[in-house]
Amino acid sequence: MSKKYDAIIIGGGHNGLVCAAYLAKAGRKVLVLERRHVLGGAAVSEEMYPGFTFSVASYVVSLFRPHIIRDLELAKHGYEVIPMDCSFLPLPNGDSLARWSDPQRSRREIARFSRKDSEIYPEFGKVMTHMGKLAKAVIDYPAPDITSIKPKELSNLLRLGRTFKDLGPDLLHLNTKLVTMSALDFLDLWFESETLKAPMAVSGIIGTFQGVRSPGTAYVLLHHYMGQLDGAFRSWGFSKGGTGGISMACARAAESFGAEIRTEAPVQQVLIKKGNAEGVVLENGDEIIAKTVISNLDPNRTYLKMVGEKYLEDDVLKEIKRFKLRGSSGKVNLALDRVPEFSCRPGDGDHIRGDIAIAPSIDYLEKAFDQAKYGEFSTRPYINAVIPTLTDPSLAPPGKHILSCFVQYAPYNIKEGAENWPKYREAFGDTVVDTMAEYIPGLKDSILYRQVLTPWDLEQKMGLTEGNIFHGELSLEQLLFQRPIASYAKYKTSIPKLWMCGSGTHPGGGIMGAGGELCARSMLTSRSI
Amino acid sequence: MPIKSPFFARTSALCNSMNWKEWAGYYAVSSYGTLHDPEYFAFRYSAGLLDITPLFKYRVKGPDAAAFLSRIMVKNIHKLGVGRVSYCCWCTDAGKVIDDGTVMRRAENEFFVTSADPGYSWFSRFLRGYDVVLEEISEEVAGLALQGPTSRDILKQICDADLNNLKFFSTVKARADGFEIYVSRTGYTGDLGYEIWVENEHAITLWDAIMSAGKNYDIRPAGLDALDVTRVEAGLILKDVDYFNALYALIDDRMSSPYELSLGWTVNLDRDPFNGQASLKAEKENGSKWAIVGLDIDWPQLESLYAKHGLPPEIGSHAWRSSVPVYISADKKYQTGYATSGTWSPILKKNIALATVEKKYENIGNELRIEMTVEHKRYTVPAIISKPQFFNPERKTSNPNSQSDE
Amino acid sequence: MSEKYDIVVIGGGHNGLITATTLARKNKRVLVLEKRSILGGIAAGEEFYPGYRSVGLLHDTSQVRSKIIKELDLEKFGLQFKNSRPTYSLLSKNGECVHLDPNIAKAANEIAKFSQHDADSYREYHEFIGKISDFICGLMDNAPPDLMELGGKQIWELAKKGISLKKLGKKTMMELLKVAPMSVADFLNEKFETDFIKAGIAAPSIYGSYTGPWSSYTTLNLLVWECAANQSIVGGPQALIAAVENAARDAGVDIQTGAEVERILLDRDRKVIGVKLLDGEEITTEVVATSCTPTTTFFNLLEPNQIDYSLEHGIQHYRSRGTTAKVNLAVNKERYFNGEFAEFVRTGNSFDEMERAFDSVKYREFSNEPILDIHIPTIGDPSLAPTGHHVISILVHFAPHYFDEGWSETTKNSLYDHVIKTLEQYCSEISSTLVGFELQSPVDLEERYGLTNGHIFHGEHAVDQLITRPIPSCSRYKTPIQGLYLCGSGSHPGGGITGMPGYLGAKMVLENI
């Protein structure tokens, strides 16, 4: 039997689709198999209530790599991202802080809380831009293997080394700080006002099972400054049509290059013959043969479900079992019959057209984390909310709105066991609505429909193991040449001809597309396909 | 979104051109009329009135005020007499300029400091160990610059200050009609002129008093476009145009020492430690790489370039502020620097510029070549190095019935 | 000005004395200035209750570097030491106890009483420690690389470090890179199943680090401790001080106690020219080595305009949040802890318990159920207490220096009650046998020992504060002030009684003068 496909990609998330597009563009015959009826994986838009399109699991776009947009001509295929102009922090005492892209406007806002901080803010931006150069050097290339002495690896290391050295000793030390310190300690190097630090620090904990005081959370702050390097002032934005809009653009691009995409085609297993991946077996029993198989699933699912323990060497099995994926967040999507109005700053002005953070103090955030550490969801959670309908009215009927709430902490492993999450789902939803209603007095009366996603739901619905939105924790020992495991960190797996392209590979989670692209490139340059 | 200065009610009523820009977060008039020339000539021939409220303003008070400022500034502030004003800059550890401004000693232990960028955070980093109170009063105090040959006569009518004897770079507290003002004989036009500081609540009264007293002296409200021409004529550098704040500059090449800005005369090296001292000492010893110079751009040659295209010279009346390469020869083989701002000087009838060039080319009279684009084509024309103060009238520093000072 | 010294050492603690001795043995004229009336710093034993003497602040001498003992001939000056660490006893609340004997097999046998799985893991764990020990101790026993000047020589030094890392073998190296950034809880959960044993092994990882066991990088702290803890000094910290003092005097070091330095004197070029004492006396020297905390050195001993902004900023943000209190108990019973003969004892029965103890610090409160690091010095040195009586030395984790209620007699008594209540869970007889006590809050520690914010290690042991300790421009003991050197726990390899900052600081002075 001739192999019809050069590659089968398991999972139609954005990384899988990007990978498919790159391979198809290079002339390879590619088939993408998506379990659900919609594409996008965690970056998916779905009409959950008549007329309302939710970005179900994700909410904003940050780091989608610009060269992927260029390479795949995504603009032609409907990629539309509108940058956000404001980060808004309502406070329980009736005050609020809005940070704008206009620097003087931000300075005046911040100066109400600390004059010093308002002036240091641009200095901080400068330092982070330097740090961002380094991060860019890291995320736009496969992770160098520091244990290898192969010339290619060494030259990769040298390239990184040069970037490091160019920083000079002070910035180099700062880089050590950035990688190892807590987000809060790092911000303490510059700022004094909690009202400023709290909403900045949370960018270090989104999607992690860490608090703002946990060592190792500082470097995620960088992501906020990376956009500058890509030539845009702000890196965060709304995707037209919800985050699924990006996935759809990737899908159309892939198809335009000749890739085939099938939905409602759940894969049961990778077909392994004589130790090699030879194709896949669908849940309906069909076998599809291909020269290579690429998994867009997380490492846990890829190795333990799609492959199976019996095909894994002891060392690999041990490392995969060690890979931590503790999900820590949930999502609550609300359909509203009006614009949510914040009592501290009423109106539907620009301040609520960006991201809205419920992070009134450091203690608030830490207490939220403490509950999660001991197996409960936060009763006073950190919430990052957006009202995408103010920017993209097409997502809801005229005059109606969506309030999309990313909620932390909701630990996958609650005390009673993850499988008991459904019992707490509505209580969790109530907590979120109650918390938001403290700032938006009319909220409860305006809710038409509510969708609550616990980490358990994210696992069941999206296939995210333990509900981890990043396919694995972003701690140093699970990054770079150790993501997902040390010996197989370059998109290859321990099974010949089986590759990985999801967020569980370098450079990690978020809607970046980098995993998909780098996997495709690695396969093509190594002539593995 | 910019905010409004306390003079906004008056300035907005007068700004027929609707020509505004943003200055440090404030709305500021670029030019009141469609053309700024009348405002420029007011500065030079009568008097122009400019709202300078957007400058950042600080009060430094306490027994250690002079010691504290001496630690921050490149100048030894201990030596600044009461009632005197100092123009100076402040530096990072590496001796690179952060900002420049004026320090006015209002009393033995009280100073008033102005800056172009917000400076509170930087100044406050050095408070440890000094018995001093640092206050930002930017949004409490409004400022006006009254500049031009008739400015003294106008100002005399509205306050009780002894202006005949107020010397260049001096300041005095005075009484206007029912309120206090501070008058300093300073400015950014390189001419006779004053800056007047007043509490916000009296701002409008002050404006009205000056405008009304100035009627007989051909006073005009003036905007930043006219100011820009005068400051280039006077050879006064501008932050973010001729140099960058070292705290915000991304790369070392964008940072400048006081010496490189030709502000070496403001630096007092041999004294108690101050910010940047060690680096500046080393630079003084080893020499600087750059200098800021004036360029007198050859007019006949420029005229003939235009003539080649059948055109009369088309030089706009606005000062320009973009980077223009400066070469040592017409073949463009070696670029020795770049001009950062320039203008046609209506009073001198010269095409002038301020440029950063390698120190070895800084000598007055040297001929370099500056790039000029004429009818979409790039040429070079000769540019003679000259003192940056192209225009420096005696009245700037002189007092009636006495010899010029400083 | 009186007579001139080659080097003046500020602070007569173990590091200061080791610096002075090392220098004097190279024929330098050295003066040690100690603020207090007694030598020893945090290792100075004092009578805290009539008839009972403490062993100072820290009580663990297992990390004293043997290299120093040999080089300074400390044995000749009366030091007796054992080439193995003491036995640490882990207590459980239900009265069980595991003695972690320095002999791994013996310790594993003890653990096997609770879990064979844990016993096997313990052997494996120590096999791993054994493999990385040379590498870690190599890092500790040498000055850190100079990252300020990444020239050829430094690159070579770094490369050598890299090579010594690769010498571990790929598997060990990969394992080290994998586990070092992990939280100690994740790391030990992979290996062990018995909660109180896990918590007991993890204990040193959270001392002086402003983290709980669930925080990333705590494994690194544990590994460093495990690798370094391989001695014990007979007679504890005081015996070390006594020996070093003898060695110092023998080498000709002048020592002044009760001599508080007010200022380090600099000339206009910011070069050291002497020190000025509180009583006005000025001493001429071109080199000052200070074993004070970095904050004290730069902020209290120099004029504000004598340090550049980058130094000011670096020191200001050097993290040194004290979280430890000290309790000394005078007790009158022969045996404690269910009659177990336990010299070093660790409490804390689960990671959650340790984490909760740390949580309170974040909210500027002390732990209601603190983690206790306990030592009974009278077992080794009965002379510290009346016959048949004991002294119990306890380091209490966590009690923050930044304490909302403020440290007062009332709040100290309240903390003391919590300490005793916690201790009673392990040792019910404690209350009835108490004779007297002393409790020092972080504020007291700051006052008595000059510890900035009461931090027992002169600054937190966090990754960015280890190799480049305290800050990059001062990380090689030299400072931007010409003639001023650091030789205290605020320098590499950090706090605890190791003597290494003092020794390496002295070496750097010798290299430069």
Side-chain angles (χ1 to χ4, degrees), chain C residues 289-300:
Chain C
T290 129
S291 59
C292 312
T293 69
T295 311
T296 302
T297 301
F298 291 110
F299 287 179
N300 300 353

Side-chain angles (χ1 to χ4, degrees), chain A residues 147 173 177 179 181 185 188-189 322 324 326 363 366-367 370 373-374 476-477 482 486, chain C residues 170 173-175 178 182 186 190 217 313 317 319 321 355-356 359 362-364 464 468 472:
Chain A
T147 65
H173 183 237
K177 287 179 179 286
V179 174
M181 277 168 96
D185 284 346
D188 276 340
L189 295 174
R322 250 180 157 183
K324 295 189 292 292
R326 293 168 285 207
D363 282 2
E366 274 299 319
K367 285 187 170 145
D370 284 352
K373 282 194 297 196
Y374 308 116
L476 187 63
E477 75 275 11
Q482 306 197 90
Chain C
K170 179 153 177 161
M173 173 170 99
M174 291 313 291
E175 183 66 10
K178 175 88 188 173
M182 282 167 70
D186 281 337
E190 281 182 355
Y217 299 101
H313 183 262
H317 290 95
R319 301 187 305 291
R321 294 161 289 191
E355 185 71 24
R356 280 183 209 276
D359 283 346
K362 300 190 294 194
Y363 310 116
R364 301 157 304 280
D464 63 300
T468 51

Side-chain angles (χ1 to χ4, degrees), chain B residues 291-313:
Chain B
I292 285 194
V293 296
L295 291 181
D296 183 350
I297 302 165
D298 192 279
W299 185 253
Q301 288 223 22
L302 189 60
E303 207 166 15
S304 68
L305 282 179
Y306 277 98
K308 223 166 83 178
H309 291 278
L311 289 167

Side-chain angles (χ1 to χ4, degrees), chain B residues 131-356:
Chain B
D131 185 1
V132 62
V133 178
L134 167 70
E135 278 174 282
E136 168 147 16
I137 48 174
S138 298
E139 290 183 19
E140 288 144 46
V141 173
L144 287 174
L146 179 64
Q147 304 274 309
T150 62
S151 55
R152 181 185 289 125
D153 297 328
I154 297 169
L155 198 54
K156 269 184 194 170
Q157 298 179 48
I158 69 126
C159 73
D160 63 356
D162 177 10
L163 296 179
N164 280 349
N165 288 310
L166 185 70
K167 291 189 172 159
F168 189 48
F169 270 79
S170 288
T171 181
V172 67
K173 182 152 86 174
R175 213 154 166 83
D177 186 15
F179 56 92
E180 262 177 11
I181 54 175
Y182 275 94
V183 175
S184 60
R185 194 169 157 194
T186 48
Y188 203 48
T189 60
D191 214 312
L192 172 66
Y194 300 87
E195 289 171 325
I196 305 133
W197 311 98
V198 66
E199 301 284 319
N200 283 352
E201 52 178 317
H202 303 298
I204 290 286
T205 325
L206 176 69
W207 174 281
D208 290 346
I210 294 175
M211 285 301 281
S212 132
K215 255 185 201 149
N216 297 329
Y217 297 90
D218 197 17
I219 193 172
R220 260 178 190 278
L224 293 172
D225 288 355
L227 182 75
D228 216 12
V229 177
T230 60
R231 72 105 190 160
V232 176
E233 288 178 336
L236 299 169
I237 56 169
L238 179 59
K239 187 190 63 65
D240 288 339
V241 174
D242 303 305
Y243 76 96
F244 295 102
N245 181 329
L247 294 179
Y248 305 148
L250 268 177
I251 51 172
D252 289 355
D253 281 351
R254 290 191 184 165
M255 303 177 188
S256 314
S257 75
Y259 297 113
E260 291 171 334
L261 298 179
S262 298
L263 295 178
W265 59 275
T266 65
V267 183
N268 300 138
L269 269 186
D270 287 317
R271 56 184 179 96
D272 283 345
F274 65 93
N275 290 346
Q277 187 182 37
S279 308
L280 292 174
K281 269 187 184 166
E283 186 177 335
K284 179 100 199 249
E285 209 160 282
N286 305 328
S288 309
K289 192 174 174 204
W290 303 101
I292 285 194
V293 296
L295 291 181
D296 183 350
I297 302 165
D298 192 279
W299 185 253
Q301 288 223 22
L302 189 60
E303 207 166 15
S304 68
L305 282 179
Y306 277 98
K308 223 166 83 178
H309 291 278
L311 289 167
E314 291 175 337
I315 301 291
S317 63
H318 277 85
W320 50 266
R321 36 170 83 175
S322 51
S323 176
V324 178
V326 173
Y327 302 95
I328 56 167
S329 57
D331 60 13
K332 295 193 183 181
K333 271 201 177 135
Y334 186 75
Q335 183 180 348
T336 178
Y338 48 94
T340 45
S341 43
T343 189
W344 165 253
S345 166
I347 194 166
L348 301 170
K349 304 297 176 205
K350 278 184 177 180
N351 194 19
I352 56 174
L354 297 174
T356 296

